Amino acid sequence: MITPSKASLIRTVIILLVLFNPRFFLQAATPEISLQIERLENTWLQEVAEGDYRILVEGEALKRISGAELPALRDLEIKLQKQKNQDPQAARKLNALLIAMGRIADEPTLIYLHELFESYPERRNDIAEAISWYSQENQRRDADWRILVRSLNIVEGKQAQAVMQALTRFHRRSNKAQWIRQVILVGLQQDAQGQEIAVKLLEHWTGQKQVQPQTEDSSLLVAWQKWFAEKYPDELPAVLPVEPADTRWKYQDLLAELQKRSAEPVNLKLGAQAFVKATCVKCHLFGKTGEKIGPDLTHVSRRFQQKEILQATVFPSHFVSEEYPTFTIVTSAGKTFTGMMGAAGPDEIMLLTSEGKRQLLKKKDVEEIIPVKKSSMPEGLLNLLTKEEAIQLIRYLSRLPEGASERYRHTTR
């Protein structure tokens, strides 16, 4: 039998448990993100707990997006995207909205997220994080797996952790050296928690486990680097790029400057001049300017993020595209030439060297053609420029040139 004094004690304990529960404070406190969604009655984007973003309808979490909600959510997404440069909080609200949409996405919403990923490279980090939430809380789809794997080239910090964590939940594994290498590279830039997630993904994909190095300050990823070098001796090593000592402009300094000046107008004249001065014009076409021997850069801003363009310029051999491989050709006279092969006559081979010169070789004189895991693009091209020229060159390439087609944009916006 419960006496009045015991009942009072039980009530006191319950009240104390509620009051001292951290989750109670997170939910009871004023949420950092609380945004009414226009055109939907009593519907809000809300942070119900730290990092827990939901779409609430009359105070209840929406369980699945339907045709009724998607148009309004898309309108809000477009509105926040336009406000990003003026409102410091807009970027965080946009990230929260995409995560909330991803968690309860229906098929049309997933299609929309995939369209955003393909059409807007600068937004791929947030989209990948949203899709990782969907994959962890819903079904695992091959189309989403491909998006998440591709995002490993650009995600950082907590978003990289979310993507790698989601990939460990897929039955599908990657057996491609380039993606295993990329997980190692992402892991090397993570804190201890992120490194642990990267190791779990590597174990999941390869079915292998590595032994912790004996030295105290060595991460398990060092063992994975050694394993990768032994398993894939002909691939690019799984090491982070390092600038040569004579590098005039450091990657991180240029990246920070580009991010700080993202809202400023581009100096098109200076960018175009830098495109010529850095000798990009000898190998690359940008709009109507240049040569189409190397990759056509006209739509590079629709394929890669600005930081990827910068990284490819500063570290050209950090990632070598399979579309533009480099070869070393050995002639019967014992001479060697290295570069990208291009179109020539029926009896000749044209090789574009790292100096931007075209070397014509007779096919009958070719003794051996050897694939090389190094870019034909020379390092140090930005050393030819002032810092301002280097910045404007990357910004110049990060937009479509005049007259270029918008073919890489989807048309549902």
Side-chain angles (χ1 to χ4, degrees), residues 224-380:
W224 278 101
Q225 286 179 295
K226 183 180 178 182
W227 172 88
F228 185 87
E230 294 171 354
K231 177 75 173 176
Y232 302 104
D234 296 328
E235 296 291 333
L236 292 168
V239 295
L240 295 172
V242 178
E243 290 139 329
D246 63 348
T247 297
R248 192 176 181 189
W249 312 118
K250 302 295 185 184
Y251 169 78
Q252 289 295 342
D253 292 342
L254 291 176
L255 182 61
E257 192 70 22
L258 285 165
Q259 290 170 343
K260 185 172 73 173
R261 297 167 63 173
S262 61
E264 295 179 10
V266 181
N267 187 332
L268 299 179
K269 183 178 179 180
L270 188 59
Q273 291 171 348
F275 187 71
V276 176
K277 187 176 177 181
T279 71
C280 312
V281 72
K282 288 185 178 181
C283 307
H284 302 287
L285 186 67
F286 188 69
K288 297 178 181 178
T289 305
E291 297 284 344
K292 197 175 180 181
I293 299 171
D296 186 339
L297 301 181
T298 301
H299 289 94
V300 69
S301 63
R302 298 300 177 260
R303 298 177 58 204
F304 300 105
Q305 293 185 356
Q306 189 176 76
K307 72 175 182 181
E308 292 178 278
I309 298 172
L310 175 63
Q311 187 178 66
T313 307
V314 178
F315 308 114
S317 292
H318 183 58
F319 174 77
V320 181
S321 172
E322 294 177 355
E323 296 178 60
Y324 299 95
T326 301
F327 297 93
T328 292
I329 294 180
V330 183
T331 68
S332 53
K335 294 182 178 179
T336 61
F337 302 89
T338 300
M340 284 190 303
M341 288 197 293
D347 301 320
E348 292 180 315
I349 293 174
M350 192 277 287
L351 205 66
L352 178 70
T353 68
S354 60
E355 293 81 23
K357 297 178 181 178
R358 301 183 190 191
Q359 182 74 46
L360 287 174
L361 302 170
K362 298 289 185 183
K363 287 184 178 179
K364 63 181 180 64
D365 295 334
V366 173
E367 186 78 23
E368 190 176 10
I369 299 177
I370 306 167
V372 178
K373 280 293 180 181
K374 185 175 180 180
S375 175
S376 296
M377 179 174 164
E379 295 181 348

Side-chain angles (χ1 to χ4, degrees), residues 122-256:
E122 296 298 334
R123 305 189 54 196
R124 286 176 181 165
N125 305 53
D126 286 348
I127 304 299
E129 185 178 16
I131 291 175
S132 71
W133 274 92
Y134 176 85
S135 301
Q136 293 203 61
E137 297 188 354
N138 300 275
Q139 61 178 320
R140 262 71 78 184
R141 312 180 319 151
D142 275 356
D144 297 330
W145 184 89
R146 289 191 291 271
I147 288 282
L148 294 175
V149 168
R150 287 171 56 198
S151 77
L152 289 170
N153 283 330
I154 44 99
V155 287
E156 301 172 333
K158 295 296 183 183
Q159 290 183 323
Q161 292 181 23
V163 167
M164 291 189 294
Q165 188 74 57
L167 285 169
T168 62
R169 295 176 179 268
F170 282 81
H171 292 301
R172 183 174 177 180
R173 304 175 182 186
S174 176
N175 56 5
K176 281 193 173 183
Q178 72 179 87
W179 296 121
I180 295 172
R181 173 180 180 262
Q182 193 58 35
V183 174
I184 296 173
L185 295 177
V186 172
L188 289 170
Q189 299 173 80
Q190 289 283 315
D191 58 17
Q193 182 182 6
Q195 289 185 14
E196 186 178 337
I197 296 170
V199 167
K200 285 181 181 177
L201 180 55
L202 290 166
E203 291 173 350
H204 174 60
W205 277 0
T206 66
Q208 303 282 323
K209 285 184 179 288
Q210 303 303 318
V211 178
Q212 180 75 39
Q214 295 299 316
T215 53
E216 264 185 43
D217 57 345
S218 288
S219 159
L220 193 54
L221 288 169
V222 173
W224 278 101
Q225 286 179 295
K226 183 180 178 182
W227 172 88
F228 185 87
E230 294 171 354
K231 177 75 173 176
Y232 302 104
D234 296 328
E235 296 291 333
L236 292 168
V239 295
L240 295 172
V242 178
E243 290 139 329
D246 63 348
T247 297
R248 192 176 181 189
W249 312 118
K250 302 295 185 184
Y251 169 78
Q252 289 295 342
D253 292 342
L254 291 176
L255 182 61

Side-chain angles (χ1 to χ4, degrees), residues 1-13:
M1 181 177 178
I2 300 178
T3 64
S5 60
K6 286 184 178 179
S8 176
L9 179 62
I10 291 171
R11 283 195 299 271
T12 302
V13 170

